[in-house]
Amino acid sequence: MLVDFHTHSSASDGALAPAALLERARAAGIAELAITDHDTLAGYRAAAPLAEGLVLHPGVELSCQWSGATIHVVGLGVRIDDPTLAAGLATLDGARQQRAETIAGRLASRGFPGALAGARAIAGDSQLGRPHFARWLVEAGHLPDEATAFKRYLGRNKPGDVKAFWPGLAEVTGWVTAAGGIAVLAHPLHYKFTRMKLRRLVTDFAAAGGAALEVVSGRQAPGQATALSQLAADFDLAVSVGSDFHADTPHGPRLGVASAPFADRPNVWTRLAARAGARAASREATAP
């Protein structure tokens, strides 16, 4: 069975509209999908009425900070109208706006005025983020391509890498659990931590109510999924898998991950199915 619990649509920084992402997932033979846009449920809301032919789980990827680094927590199976989560998303939207103003100011000081208005125009109704600034830098003729924009100005430890506005890891993880969701630590190798620091992160994540570790995220080197699965087991966490798909690129990941290699591990798809069954039984029990 192919599954994918980490994907992005044009509601955040993905290239495909939610409906087009669904069609791509169907064409790939994916049985279960989560649209996990950055700090918004808009992609899931748009796709939910069109999800015939596959199981679509409500999801979101939330930004937070831990030990001075930006960390991402994926929430799966959340109640989309939960007031705690809604308030958290509003907090993150405000943080994104503040961060965007800071990024624009830093770009202006380096000779690129007008970045905020330009990035907002490109983002439209999507969550405003660094990819929109990168696209503006290219479209305004300042840089040859978006990769250069990240390499020089927007990537890790560059002027546009602004972290200070995000809430803490424990707070954000709490929003997911309050909404009845499964909190997943996203792409743990992406942070490039030492082994010891990564274990400290997972320790704090689990203590905050985190329930799963993403052991497959996009394209990985051989053996990494095995090592991450062992890390999950060490902390009694379930495993989750996803492509972190954003767009069709020559070296980017394709939609869909085989679930079979992880079938004997505690995993998020089994837990999501159990929760769905429990909700169905509860509705049936309370029906007149």
Side-chain angles (χ1 to χ4, degrees):
M1 181 174 73
L2 286 180
V3 298
D4 203 325
F5 298 105
H6 190 163
T7 69
H8 296 275
S9 77
S10 58
S12 63
D13 57 347
L16 300 180
L21 184 58
L22 285 180
E23 286 303 313
R24 183 69 63 84
R26 289 191 188 97
I30 292 171
E32 296 189 40
L33 180 76
I35 296 178
T36 56
D37 284 312
H38 290 284
D39 306 327
T40 179
L41 287 159
Y44 169 78
R45 291 181 187 275
L50 311 172
E52 184 178 356
L54 55 77
V55 177
L56 180 66
H57 299 285
V60 62
E61 185 174 9
L62 303 171
S63 307
C64 58
Q65 59 175 321
W66 175 86
S67 191
T70 298
I71 304 296
H72 290 159
V73 173
V74 167
L76 296 175
V78 293
R79 294 187 295 269
I80 61 174
D81 295 319
D82 179 82
T84 299
L85 180 58
L89 292 174
T91 296
L92 290 175
D93 183 65
R96 278 191 174 273
Q97 298 306 319
Q98 291 180 57
R99 184 182 75 152
E101 292 173 6
T102 300
I103 292 172
R106 292 181 180 182
L107 290 176
S109 70
R110 287 160 175 78
F112 307 119
L116 184 59
R120 282 177 171 165
I122 289 170
D125 294 331
S126 303
Q127 282 290 73
L128 183 60
R130 287 178 296 168
H132 303 112
F133 283 97
R135 184 174 163 189
W136 174 78
L137 285 166
V138 175
E139 292 187 1
H142 297 303
L143 297 172
D145 52 55
E146 294 176 27
T148 302
F150 273 90
K151 183 177 181 180
R152 294 183 183 177
Y153 300 105
L154 298 168
R156 185 186 300 273
N157 298 323
K158 300 301 179 182
D161 183 21
V162 179
K163 307 178 181 68
F165 297 104
W166 304 128
L169 172 71
E171 181 180 1
V172 168
T173 302
W175 299 344
V176 176
T177 57
I182 299 171
V184 182
L185 182 61
H187 41 59
L189 299 180
H190 171 80
Y191 312 116
K192 302 186 186 303
F193 291 160
T194 64
R195 182 176 180 274
M196 184 176 295
K197 188 171 183 178
L198 179 57
R199 291 185 72 88
R200 284 202 296 113
L201 168 61
V202 178
T203 297
D204 289 351
F205 174 69
L213 191 70
E214 200 170 71
V215 300
V216 174
S217 178
R219 295 187 175 182
Q220 293 180 176
Q224 288 181 335
T226 300
L228 289 173
S229 294
Q230 183 57 56
L231 181 63
D234 290 346
F235 289 88
D236 197 26
L237 298 175
V239 302
S240 185
V241 297
S243 63
D244 198 7
F245 176 84
H246 286 75
D248 293 315
T249 58
H251 304 291
R254 295 182 179 180
L255 280 172
V257 179
S259 62
F262 310 97
D264 62 341
R265 301 268 187 169
N267 58 69
V268 296
W269 51 96
T270 299
R271 295 187 180 186
L272 288 167
R275 291 181 181 208
R279 287 194 298 269
S282 177
R283 288 194 298 269
E284 184 175 339
T286 57

